[in-house]
Amino acid sequence: MTKDIQFESPSFTRRIKGMLGVDLYRLFHTPLFYIFLAIAAIIPAMVSAMTMMPDQSGNTMEPLYSNVWQIIAASKSLYVIETIADYANMNMVFIFGGIMVSIFIGHDYKSGYVKQLFTTHAKKQDYMISKSLVCALAMACMCITYLIGGTVAGLLVGYETDVSVGSLLVAIFGKIILSLGWASLYTFLNVIFRRYFGISVVSSFFFGTGILIIGAAAIVETLGLPVGFLNVFLYGASVNANLSSGIGSLLICLGVSVAWAVIYNVAGTRLLNKCDVY
């Protein structure tokens, strides 16, 4: 008498654990990750120590910053850039971090890994979740090396160090938390443009600059309307993480990051389920 053999489908936790293990191994064993960690440290150091700009009279060149922590975050919530110093802070990680994500995910399709993966692993949501989490970790690490590079350079140059420690911590952790939302966005964009690597890189760079939110804020402010509604977007939330922010700003960053991570992962999963993934 023969008995039917039934194979139990792996649980969600087991599937995610296995895929995360593979993605983490690939991340930590590729030079790409360490190159971008170095970039995240070198760029703020160069900007902080070497960039000069004219003073108000236009006759004398002075340092871009006067305080060490201005390279980490703006002094207040600024939706529209007033000077380059307001823009050149840890938000830059979300620009070149997007490029790193595009290269990392693009390699999945170029190498044929995705075809092999989806042949044996049918859950598209697992792919989206794993990539979002691993890329978020990579961008969080870039935030840390950015912090180290910018801080060391500012101290060596001799900038002031006065700051509200609480607000500084909120700014740092707020931007690190937003890595999850940004990584999910970039994963979604790379699923959309999976056959067009160049477009995926350009789109990641474009959205990482926050130019859409900056443009919308400029229009709204011109009309004399409040800009607070922009906080529901990733770039809008990131400007709340500044050197005068409180715990409320941290909660905004957390809520927005998680909400957009869910939205992008659901949208990406549906796209993969309906389209040819190769």
Side-chain angles (χ1 to χ4, degrees):
M1 182 177 180
T2 60
K3 296 182 178 180
D4 293 335
I5 300 176
Q6 296 182 348
F7 295 94
E8 183 179 354
S9 178
S11 66
F12 171 77
T13 302
R14 185 177 177 183
R15 296 197 316 267
I16 289 296
K17 183 178 179 180
M19 188 166 286
L20 279 173
V22 173
D23 281 336
L24 286 171
Y25 180 87
R26 293 178 61 241
L27 178 69
F28 292 129
H29 286 78
T30 176
L32 171 71
F33 174 58
Y34 301 99
I35 290 172
F36 274 88
L37 286 182
I39 291 174
I42 293 172
I43 287 182
M46 294 178 60
V47 171
S48 179
M50 300 174 61
T51 304
M52 306 289 286
M53 61 185 300
D55 62 9
Q56 293 182 348
S57 65
N59 299 321
T60 304
M61 300 298 290
E62 58 183 16
L64 185 62
Y65 306 103
S66 59
N67 189 288
V68 171
W69 311 114
Q70 289 174 332
I71 190 65
I72 308 303
S75 59
K76 58 182 180 180
S77 296
L78 292 170
Y79 300 91
V80 179
I81 300 171
E82 297 178 358
T83 67
I84 187 61
D86 300 326
Y87 186 79
N89 53 51
M90 196 180 283
N91 287 349
M92 289 192 293
V93 169
F94 303 137
I95 300 176
F96 42 81
I99 298 174
M100 185 213 68
V101 174
S102 293
I103 298 173
F104 182 64
I105 296 179
H107 184 263
D108 286 354
Y109 291 91
K110 183 178 180 181
S111 65
Y113 169 72
V114 167
K115 184 176 182 179
Q116 178 184 4
L117 174 67
F118 288 136
T119 300
T120 58
H121 193 109
K123 299 293 185 180
K124 309 300 190 301
Q125 67 174 3
D126 299 350
Y127 178 83
M128 288 294 302
I129 293 173
S130 179
K131 281 293 184 290
S132 296
L133 291 176
V134 170
C135 291
L137 173 63
M139 292 178 68
C141 291
M142 291 170 66
C143 286
I144 293 173
T145 57
Y146 181 101
L147 172 64
I148 294 172
T151 301
V152 171
L155 291 174
L156 291 176
V157 172
Y159 290 152
E160 297 178 359
T161 58
D162 295 338
V163 71
S164 168
V165 176
S167 294
L168 175 62
L169 292 176
V170 166
I172 294 172
F173 284 110
K175 294 182 186 299
I176 290 176
I177 288 171
L178 282 166
S179 295
L180 175 61
W182 282 106
S184 300
L185 166 62
Y186 295 137
T187 300
F188 176 61
L189 290 175
N190 281 274
V191 166
I192 294 176
F193 302 114
R194 56 193 177 278
R195 294 190 180 93
Y196 309 99
F197 175 71
I199 296 178
S200 69
V201 172
V202 172
S203 64
S204 295
F205 177 85
F206 176 77
F207 282 99
T209 61
I211 192 169
L212 291 178
I213 301 301
I214 295 172
I219 295 173
V220 170
E221 286 189 348
T222 300
L223 297 175
L225 301 174
V227 295
F229 75 94
L230 295 175
N231 293 345
V232 301
F233 298 98
L234 289 171
Y235 192 88
S238 70
V239 304
N240 282 272
N242 54 67
L243 299 181
S244 60
S245 56
I247 191 65
S249 299
L250 188 63
L251 294 177
I252 289 175
C253 292
L254 177 61
V256 170
S257 187
V258 172
W260 284 105
V262 172
I263 291 172
Y264 290 131
N265 273 273
V266 170
T269 299
R270 290 188 175 181
L271 180 63
L272 288 175
N273 284 330
K274 292 182 178 180
C275 301
D276 179 9
V277 299
Y278 309 133

